[in-house]
């Protein structure tokens, strides 16, 4: 007989019969039964299959209560395993990040709320029932009439009509009405007034809203040329000068202050040279889109805008005290070209240049060699023209800029603003007076201001254009201010301008079309391109900018 330990080893072996319930003995009684049956089957001879089947059935019946107990224990173990699994899930949930827990809870809450429905008890159902009537159908249409309201009994008040029968008043005092000839205005001025009115009508018909650059082409240019006193000689000199500038342009589109021509500047400033050459071409009506020199202007503007930094500055390579001069001239060039063409890609460059000018204004109200540091009338005049060009082109200019310029001009003005100095505390000079008065004109001074007529009269009387004492810088500003002012002062100045300046132009040789810098006040320093460009500006003055004052104002001021 086998021992109890051997019997346990046998019982641990999995049952070989599939589909039968084999109970694992847990109590001593169950173990004894199992050991007895095992020992009995081992000692007995081989039984037939039928006997085994009968004995198996008896064994199953005998172990049926034991199998039920084992099943219950397995169910308990399965439930404990399920609880352990849920505890692990809860533990994992505790280790989850707070946002995930919050997301799960909110999703569950939203699902629960979505499943809850509420039935409103407010109001009741409304049933509409339609059915055919029991009466006979009517085929005739119902007739009705509207009675008019009689207003005969209403008394209407008659309208009040004032008595307009006036009696003429007889006056014994004779009244003489002045005529144009009795206003001490010359006949030439009366004829000039008629030309001016014709020009204004021409501008309104051809160009619509006028800008300060509207007179540079077409019929308007010819009308302004005749009205201002230009001649064929002045136009021929302009054409010859532009041809010389074309020959000096570099392959990259820029110009140089030092060469390749004779009589160059002492220092290089490509930004200033390119800007001044562009202004000469544009003053005669050329742009990068139209005109005889459109290719030259196109190459020049492409080069110039490449020099601009994010802050709008375009003269990084210029010398210290020349940087702001070059920047102001480049601002005028870009703004004028944008104002003449309206080409969209130029607008950001022009606006940045104007923004730099506004931001670099000094506390005194002007500009000088460094941004926001100091002021002088010379640099200030160039920046005023640049900002006015931008404003005329439709760009945004800070409103505080021009009033501060007025404050600076007050600080350098003298003799009731008839004379202007380079800086506060210095004496007035002809060139600074001409520049200061031009700034006053563009800043809104009326033509009959006392300082205006007194200052310009002093320039014509004491510093009339003289080629023996050449100063193209002074000529440039005096020509513009006197042209806007008009009248006899302009006629006297223009009589010298349109004869002497073309006569001083080089007529032969390699420099044909230019103006020599020799014996000019600033020619030895600035060079041939400088004297040529400013001389061209003077000869283009008739149409370069639209007149600031009507001829009617000129007649009134001449009385």
């Amino acid at each position: 007989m086998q021992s109890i330990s051997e019997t346990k080893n046998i019982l641990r072996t999995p049952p070989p019969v599939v589909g039968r319930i084999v109970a694992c003995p847990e109590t001593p009684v169950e173990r004894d039964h199992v050991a007895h049956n095992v020992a009995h089957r081992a000692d007995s001879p081989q039984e037939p299959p039928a006997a085994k089947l009968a004995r198996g059935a008896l064994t199953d019946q005998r172990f049926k209560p034991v199998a039920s107990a084992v099943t219950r224990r397995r169910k308990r173990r399965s439930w404990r395993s399920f609880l352990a699994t849920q505890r692990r899930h809860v533990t994992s949930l505790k280790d989850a990040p707070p946002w995930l827990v919050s997301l799960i809870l909110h999703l569950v809450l939203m699902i629960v709320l979505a499943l809850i429905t509420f039935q409103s008890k407010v109001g009741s159902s409304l049933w509409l029932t339609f059915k055919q009537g029991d009466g006979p159908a009517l085929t005739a249409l119902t007739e009705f009439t509207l009675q008019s309201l009689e207003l005969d009994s209403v008394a209407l008040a008659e309208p009040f009509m004032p008595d307009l029968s006036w009696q003429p008043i007889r006056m014994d005092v004779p009244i003489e009405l002045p005529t144009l000839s009795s206003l001490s205005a010359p006949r030439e001025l009366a004829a000039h007034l008629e030309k001016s009115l014709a020009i204004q009508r021409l501008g309104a018909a051809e160009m619509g809203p006028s800008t300060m650059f509207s007179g540079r082409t077409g019929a308007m240019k010819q009308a302004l040329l005749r009205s201002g006193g230009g001649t064929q000689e002045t136009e021929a000199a302009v054409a010859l000068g532009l041809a010389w500038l074309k020959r000096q342009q570099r392959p990259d589109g820029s110009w140089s202050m030092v060469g390749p021509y004779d009589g160059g500047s002492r220092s290089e400033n490509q930004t200033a040279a390119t800007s001044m050459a562009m202004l000469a071409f544009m003053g005669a009506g050329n742009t990068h889109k139209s005109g005889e020199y459109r290719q030259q202007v196109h190459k020049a503007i492409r080069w110039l805008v490449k020099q601009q930094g994010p802050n709008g500055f375009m003269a990084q390579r210029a010398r210290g005290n020349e940087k702001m001069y070059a920047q102001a001239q480049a601002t005028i060039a870009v703004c004028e070209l944008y104002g003449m063409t309206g080409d969209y890609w130029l607008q950001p460059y022009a606006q940045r240049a104007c923004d730099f000018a506004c931001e670099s204004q000094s506390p005194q109200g002007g500009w000088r060699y460094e941004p926001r540091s100091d002021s002088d009338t010379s640099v200030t005049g160039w920046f005023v023209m640049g900002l006015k060009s931008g404003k005329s082109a439709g760009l945004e200019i800070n409103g505080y800029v021009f009033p501060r310029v007025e404050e600076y001009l007050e600080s350098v003005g003298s003799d009731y603003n008839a004379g202007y100095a380079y800086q506060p505390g210095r004496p007035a000079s002809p060139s600074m007076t001409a520049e200061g008065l031009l700034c006053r004109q563009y800043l809104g001074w009326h033509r009959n201001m006392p300082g205006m007529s007194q200052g310009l009269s002093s320039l014509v009387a004491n510093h009339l254009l003289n080629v023996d004492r050449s100063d193209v810088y002074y000529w440039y500003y005096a020509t513009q201010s006197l042209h806007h002012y008009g009248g006899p002062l302009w006629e006297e100045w223009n009589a010298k301008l349109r004869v002497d300046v073309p006569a001083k132009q080089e007529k032969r040789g390699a420099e044909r079309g230019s103006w020599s810098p020799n014996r000019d006040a600033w020619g030895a320093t600035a060079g041939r391109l400088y004297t040529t460009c400013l001389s061209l500006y003077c000869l283009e003055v008739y149409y370069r900018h639209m007149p600031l004052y009507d001829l009617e104002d000129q007649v009134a001021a001449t009385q």
Side-chain angles (χ1 to χ4, degrees), residues 72-88:
R72 287 194 297 272
R73 284 194 297 272
R74 287 181 175 177
K75 289 181 177 180
R76 285 195 298 271
R77 284 196 298 269
S78 298
W79 179 250
R80 286 194 297 270
S81 176
F82 172 76
L83 292 178
T85 302
Q86 297 304 316
R87 282 194 296 269
R88 286 194 300 271

Side-chain angles (χ1 to χ4, degrees), residues 27 133 148 175-176 191-192 202 205 215 250 304 359 362 433 442 481:
T27 62
S148 60
I175 299 176
E176 294 183 1
H192 197 42
L202 179 62
R250 291 182 169 183
L304 188 60
E359 295 171 0
S362 71
T433 297
Y442 275 103
S481 57

Side-chain angles (χ1 to χ4, degrees), residues 87-98:
R87 282 194 296 269
R88 286 194 300 271
H89 290 170
V90 172
T91 303
S92 301
L93 190 61
K94 290 181 180 179
D95 296 336

Side-chain angles (χ1 to χ4, degrees), residues 139-337:
T139 58
L141 298 176
T142 303
E143 296 182 358
F144 59 91
T145 60
L146 297 176
Q147 298 294 331
S148 60
L149 180 62
E150 298 293 339
L151 298 177
D152 296 339
S153 59
V154 181
L156 298 177
E158 294 184 359
F160 171 75
M161 296 295 294
D163 186 11
L164 299 180
S165 57
W166 294 347
Q167 297 295 329
I169 301 175
R170 301 183 62 86
M171 300 182 64
D172 296 334
V173 180
I175 299 176
E176 294 183 1
L177 296 177
T179 60
L180 184 62
S181 59
S182 64
L183 293 178
S184 69
R187 294 180 179 179
E188 293 80 3
L189 190 57
H192 197 42
L193 173 58
E194 295 179 359
K195 292 181 181 179
S196 175
L197 296 177
I199 289 171
Q200 293 175 10
R201 290 191 295 269
L202 179 62
E206 287 191 353
M207 301 183 181
S210 176
T211 66
M212 59 191 297
F213 325 113
S214 300
R216 298 182 176 185
T217 57
M220 177 65 77
K221 177 179 180 179
Q222 298 304 318
L224 289 172
L225 181 65
R226 292 191 301 269
S227 175
T231 62
Q232 294 181 355
E233 288 75 18
T234 60
E235 285 297 278
V238 169
L240 205 61
L242 296 181
W244 181 85
L245 283 175
K246 176 185 176 181
R247 298 195 300 270
Q248 313 309 319
Q249 189 175 26
R250 291 182 169 183
D252 61 358
S254 66
W255 276 267
S256 170
M257 294 292 292
V258 298
Y261 44 83
D262 293 334
S265 173
R266 295 177 181 176
S267 60
E268 181 62 284
N269 192 335
Q270 284 184 270
T271 299
T274 304
S275 301
M276 287 194 294
M278 286 181 61
L279 291 175
F281 284 115
M282 292 187 294
N286 296 278
T287 69
H288 65 294
K289 288 186 171 183
S290 62
E292 180 182 357
Y293 297 103
R294 59 182 177 274
Q295 294 182 358
Q296 284 70 34
V297 178
H298 183 269
K299 293 171 60 178
I301 189 60
R302 287 293 184 182
W303 181 90
L304 188 60
V305 297
K306 290 179 182 179
Q307 313 308 310
Q308 191 179 68
N311 63 344
F313 192 62
M314 293 178 277
Q316 291 88 349
R317 293 185 290 180
R319 200 171 62 174
N321 61 342
E322 298 176 355
K323 286 185 176 181
M324 294 298 280
Y325 277 109
Q327 175 65 23
Q329 291 162 349
T331 301
I332 300 174
V334 177
C335 291
E336 281 196 6
L337 191 58

